[in-house]
Amino acid sequence: MRHGMILAVSFHDDLHALAVQHAVRSRGHAFHIVECDTISGRQSLSWRSHREEADGRAGAATVLTSEGVPVSPEEAALLWWRRARADQDITGAAGSAHERSLVNNDCRGALGGILAAAFHGDWISPPAATDLAADKLYQLAVAHASGFPVPRTLISQSREEVIAFTRQVGRTIVKPVVGARGPSLYTRWIDDPELIPAPSFEICPATYQEYIEGSRHIRLNCFGDRMYAALIETTALDWRPDLNVPISPWPVPDDIRQRVGTVLHQLGLRMGIVDLKLTPEGEPVWLEVNPQGQFLFLEPLTGEPLTEHFADFLLSAA
């Protein structure tokens, strides 16, 4: 079977994009990375709306790859919308905050607009679906409507509401609604909100959730219809800071496969990295899905060749 060219949009030196590029190219297929954060400072983008009599091109577009090769999005069969929102690396040409904002917004807008206008293949996943599914409130509602148990959740800036919520649900955790670039903000306990002054709550909304008992966490990597899960066993509230715990492959039961597939379909996602937690009784509780989550770290921990699995997924779609 002959596969079309694959484009990936991500930031400079993204290990996931580079690993998948190597896997796809090693099989003899074309794979190019477009770096969303190195557009400024070089001739990276070009698009025209009308036919030019001189060269006969209609609506021609080119984007510069990470290797400095101009390619046409129109020739691509598949576009992996990996990580496309990073700011430009313009440290050496830093101007005012307004000027930096202009450069970042116009580079981001031009890249997204060119691809939307010139690319006619399949997205992994479409930008609109990716952005909407990244909203943790929305995906929680979709998962609940699709039959998953979800933690009781409060989004609030009210000290009184948080106090009442913790009294209702018992042990409560707090985490960002969206988060920010930079150091990870891990999930934390909120033991006694009555000891916290009201202005601390009012600065911005936060996510408050009931704590789900148990020590078995499921990291479920969904590549199309194929799902590969890892069981992470830890009593830590957030498993991410310490991976020196038992981690092993976990066979995905058919009912969970079907329910997760329903959620991703409702969200419009072709892929997703899902976090579940098993209660002491073994009931899976939905925590969240990252439309473009990390999976490379699990390869050496589980022995599952996730990069090759992901390359299979892309080539099957291209």
Side-chain angles (χ1 to χ4, degrees):
M1 180 183 295
R2 183 178 181 274
H3 299 279
M5 179 176 70
I6 298 174
L7 287 181
V9 179
S10 196
F11 53 85
H12 179 64
D13 280 348
D14 173 28
L15 291 179
H16 281 71
L18 291 169
V20 174
Q21 180 186 56
H22 176 75
V24 171
R25 284 184 172 180
S26 68
R27 305 183 193 188
H29 304 291
F31 186 111
H32 298 287
I33 299 171
V34 177
E35 295 176 344
C36 64
D37 57 345
T38 63
I39 295 171
S40 178
R42 58 181 186 157
Q43 298 178 32
S44 300
L45 305 174
S46 177
W47 179 79
R48 64 188 72 199
S49 62
H50 293 79
R51 180 184 299 277
E52 297 289 341
E53 296 298 331
D55 55 23
R57 294 187 296 175
T62 58
V63 294
L64 203 65
T65 72
S66 59
E67 297 160 308
V69 178
V71 299
S72 171
E74 295 168 308
E75 297 176 3
L78 191 73
L79 199 156
W80 180 20
W81 191 245
R82 161 73 183 151
R83 297 284 175 91
R85 306 300 190 192
D87 289 340
Q88 298 303 298
D89 182 10
I90 52 176
T91 306
S96 66
H98 178 72
E99 291 169 337
R100 292 194 299 273
S101 178
L102 172 67
V103 171
N104 287 323
N105 288 340
D106 280 11
C107 287
R108 187 180 296 119
L111 176 61
I114 287 172
L115 294 175
F119 174 68
H120 307 298
D122 291 328
W123 297 78
I124 307 294
S125 297
T130 298
D131 290 345
L132 184 57
D135 186 312
K136 301 296 172 54
L137 283 68
Y138 176 68
Q139 60 170 254
L140 204 66
V142 171
H144 185 53
S146 300
F148 263 109
V150 301
R152 285 177 288 180
T153 303
L154 170 70
I155 309 294
S156 181
Q157 292 171 266
S158 165
R159 178 175 179 270
E160 289 72 25
E161 284 188 348
V162 175
I163 291 172
F165 181 76
T166 58
R167 288 174 177 169
Q168 178 186 20
V169 306
R171 302 183 76 188
T172 305
I173 63 172
V174 60
K175 57 186 180 181
V177 175
V178 176
R181 295 191 182 107
S184 297
L185 298 173
Y186 298 118
T187 302
R188 302 180 62 179
W189 296 106
I190 180 165
D191 295 317
D192 190 350
E194 295 188 53
L195 299 178
I196 303 173
S200 295
F201 293 95
E202 295 168 358
I203 291 174
C204 70
T207 301
Y208 304 92
Q209 285 185 328
E210 67 171 319
Y211 172 67
I212 303 301
E213 299 287 345
S215 60
R216 293 177 293 168
H217 307 257
I218 305 299
R219 183 78 163 185
L220 182 56
N221 306 283
C222 307
F223 306 151
D225 294 331
R226 306 167 188 175
M227 298 184 186
Y228 310 92
L231 172 64
I232 303 170
E233 299 179 79
T234 177
T235 57
L237 181 59
D238 193 322
W239 54 260
R240 291 175 295 172
D242 181 14
L243 295 177
N244 189 28
V245 297
I247 301 178
S248 58
W250 189 72
V252 185
D254 288 341
D255 65 321
I256 294 181
R257 187 183 303 273
Q258 291 171 0
R259 276 190 282 174
V260 169
T262 298
V263 176
L264 297 185
H265 177 74
Q266 292 296 323
L267 293 172
L269 297 179
R270 300 282 299 278
M271 65 166 290
I273 311 301
V274 176
D275 287 318
L276 307 172
K277 187 172 183 181
L278 300 180
T279 67
E281 296 74 33
E283 178 73 15
V285 177
W286 177 280
L287 299 182
E288 63 180 65
V289 58
N290 188 320
Q292 292 290 345
Q294 312 282 48
F295 55 84
L296 280 185
F297 73 96
L298 287 172
E299 284 200 12
L301 298 173
T302 64
E304 190 73 54
L306 293 172
T307 301
E308 296 297 329
H309 292 328
F310 193 78
D312 289 339
F313 161 59
L314 293 183
L315 290 171
S316 69

